[in-house]
Amino acid sequence: FFFQAEDGIRDHCVTGVQTCALPISVVLGWFDFSLDYLSMIGCDAYKRIKQKTMRLIFTYHEGDNPVRMRNRINQLCQDHGIDPEMVWLISGNSSADAVPGCVYWPELEFMYWRTVDRSAGAQYHLRPRNQAFTGLCRIDKLWRKVFMSELWTNNLHTRGYFSYTQHLLGGEDNYFNCALRNSYLAHKQHQVNQFIAAGPFLVDELDSDAHNNYAANMTDLYEDSYFNIVLETMIDVDDSKGQFVTEKTFKPIFNNQFFVVVSGVNHIAHLRDLGYCTFGRVIDEHYDSIENNQDRFEAVLALTKDLASRPLTELHSIYQQLQPEIAHNHKVFVTGMGHRLQAVVDRINCKP
């Protein structure tokens, strides 16, 4: 199922039942707890699921807490008299592997790998570069504009390819929905207001749809800067203690850059679990293990400001020192993701 045929995955069917599993993708971008998804299944499939001759598989690439979704699925199974073992949830949250009936799959890694032209990425080179960093942010979030406004206030935006397009401006401005301390947000509000008034900040003439197109690779920017500032989708990952890794992280991996990440706790450590290398041999990555969201945010902000302030010659040296890690990451990414898909199938098939 999914893209297995094109990637040579064995066991396209989930074993132990008389027919292939039926994958259902939640395409709305969020899991609606008010919907009875099982009542929306066609009569024939519904009957076969109840008879245990077909499994139902929900796929959800976002990072929402899988425990909450699984609890809702279990309740629906109980309401419909369906064995919950016949219904699986594939989640983009790494904590899913610890939840019965759930399996983790970093789908956005696969989707980015599948979509981007893998022959057109930025190559590793040691020619001098004109900018310290690339930092591109499309969708406005309160914590994102606090972070970027700090760089702007310190005039560090002039040292990199710095973009804050203000797409969906104000959509997530509620202090109580932000993982940072309210007092900290209030202290930064005037700075944020000035930053937004001075923007938007653009490095190209593409529209928002093009910015969101995985196939549109900003190769020239990556080739002319040393490191990447990754503003991930979540910094608390829905209180799950899991990780949610998106294409934002995989872009510098594909394009041969080292990077810092504003994200959930142990994001960097999880990349190592996925087979990638990180950069603690040369730069300070202790921020990644800080559990408190506010403290972790301030630590990675301090590191970013420090790196962005350094002379280009020093960043060139750091880039050269990190060549083994950077090259390894690029190779892991371009080699392919079939093994991760196979692991998903094996987990659902209860294979060791």
Side-chain angles (χ1 to χ4, degrees):
F1 57 99
F2 299 115
F3 306 100
Q4 294 178 26
E6 67 186 53
D7 289 311
I9 306 301
R10 68 181 188 272
D11 292 342
H12 297 282
C13 296
V14 175
T15 57
V17 294
Q18 296 176 14
T19 184
C20 289
L22 172 67
I24 295 181
S25 295
V26 180
V27 297
L28 298 177
W30 60 293
F31 188 94
D32 191 336
F33 287 84
S34 69
L35 290 181
D36 181 350
Y37 289 105
L38 300 188
S39 69
M40 302 165 70
I41 300 171
C43 293
D44 182 60
Y46 182 87
K47 179 180 178 180
R48 294 165 74 180
I49 294 167
K50 292 200 72 170
Q51 293 174 342
K52 299 186 180 182
T53 61
M54 176 179 283
R55 282 194 178 115
L56 175 65
I57 300 173
F58 288 93
T59 65
Y60 190 67
H61 71 262
E62 295 289 351
D64 305 42
N65 195 323
V67 171
R68 296 168 184 163
M69 289 183 284
R70 185 67 231 190
N71 288 342
R72 174 57 176 162
I73 290 170
N74 289 344
Q75 182 61 57
L76 292 175
C77 287
Q78 181 177 328
D79 294 345
H80 286 265
I82 290 175
D83 185 343
E85 291 188 0
M86 301 307 296
V87 182
W88 278 78
L89 170 66
I90 298 175
S91 168
N93 185 314
S94 67
S95 68
D97 277 342
V99 181
C102 296
V103 59
Y104 169 56
W105 179 36
E107 181 181 350
L108 293 179
E109 177 193 37
F110 177 80
M111 293 305 298
Y112 180 56
W113 172 86
R114 186 173 181 267
T115 305
V116 72
D117 181 352
R118 295 188 295 278
S119 68
Q123 300 300 305
Y124 186 91
H125 69 82
L126 291 177
R127 298 185 300 276
R129 306 185 182 207
N130 292 308
Q131 298 292 344
F133 66 85
T134 292
L136 310 177
C137 185
R138 183 177 71 98
I139 294 181
D140 175 67
K141 293 187 177 185
L142 182 53
W143 61 266
R144 285 177 174 169
K145 57 191 168 193
V146 169
F147 191 95
M148 296 295 264
S149 70
E150 276 289 310
L151 301 183
W152 173 77
T153 296
N154 288 276
N155 206 37
L156 294 174
H157 66 295
T158 61
R159 304 209 68 233
Y161 292 111
F162 179 96
S163 175
Y164 199 88
T165 71
Q166 302 188 6
H167 182 60
L168 302 181
L169 183 63
E172 297 190 18
D173 275 0
N174 189 328
Y175 282 16
F176 295 101
N177 291 334
C178 183
L180 303 181
R181 285 196 300 266
N182 287 357
S183 58
Y184 178 81
L185 295 172
H187 177 68
K188 298 296 182 182
Q189 189 63 63
H190 179 66
Q191 172 181 292
V192 165
N193 293 344
Q194 290 182 314
F195 171 66
I196 293 302
F201 298 87
L202 307 172
V203 294
D204 55 57
E205 297 181 354
L206 301 178
D207 61 20
S208 182
D209 289 339
H211 285 150
N212 198 38
N213 182 356
Y214 291 177
N217 194 60
M218 312 299 287
T219 306
D220 54 336
L221 306 189
Y222 296 118
E223 287 186 335
D224 196 40
S225 57
Y226 289 105
F227 74 96
N228 197 281
I229 301 170
V230 178
L231 301 179
E232 260 296 355
T233 298
M234 295 179 168
I235 57 173
D236 64 347
V237 197
D238 201 18
D239 297 323
S240 66
K241 299 188 183 301
Q243 290 76 44
F244 177 46
V245 191
T246 76
E247 80 289 346
K248 301 172 187 65
T249 295
F250 296 115
K251 286 181 177 181
I253 286 175
F254 169 57
N255 285 287
N256 283 285
Q257 287 191 319
F258 71 95
F259 51 89
V260 296
V261 191
V262 190
S263 58
V265 64
N266 292 324
H267 186 93
I268 293 290
H270 181 60
L271 289 176
R272 294 193 289 270
D273 292 339
L274 293 176
Y276 296 101
C277 291
T278 58
F279 314 108
R281 185 173 61 84
V282 179
I283 66 173
D284 184 1
E285 292 183 332
H286 86 279
Y287 68 87
D288 184 60
S289 61
I290 300 174
E291 293 192 4
N292 181 275
N293 292 321
Q294 181 70 44
D295 293 343
R296 186 175 63 259
F297 180 90
E298 293 189 38
V300 69
L301 175 59
L303 172 63
T304 304
K305 290 163 70 174
D306 173 50
L307 288 172
S309 301
R310 297 192 189 188
L312 293 179
T313 52
E314 185 174 345
L315 291 174
H316 187 92
S317 176
I318 291 173
Y319 186 80
Q320 188 170 11
Q321 292 176 64
L322 287 172
Q323 188 274 339
E325 289 89 341
I326 293 170
H328 169 86
N329 288 347
H330 178 81
K331 181 178 180 180
V332 168
F333 181 82
V334 299
T335 297
M337 306 300 154
H339 61 293
R340 302 208 205 284
L341 277 168
Q342 186 65 63
V344 170
V345 177
D346 289 348
R347 173 70 182 273
I348 293 174
N349 283 338
C350 300
K351 291 184 179 181

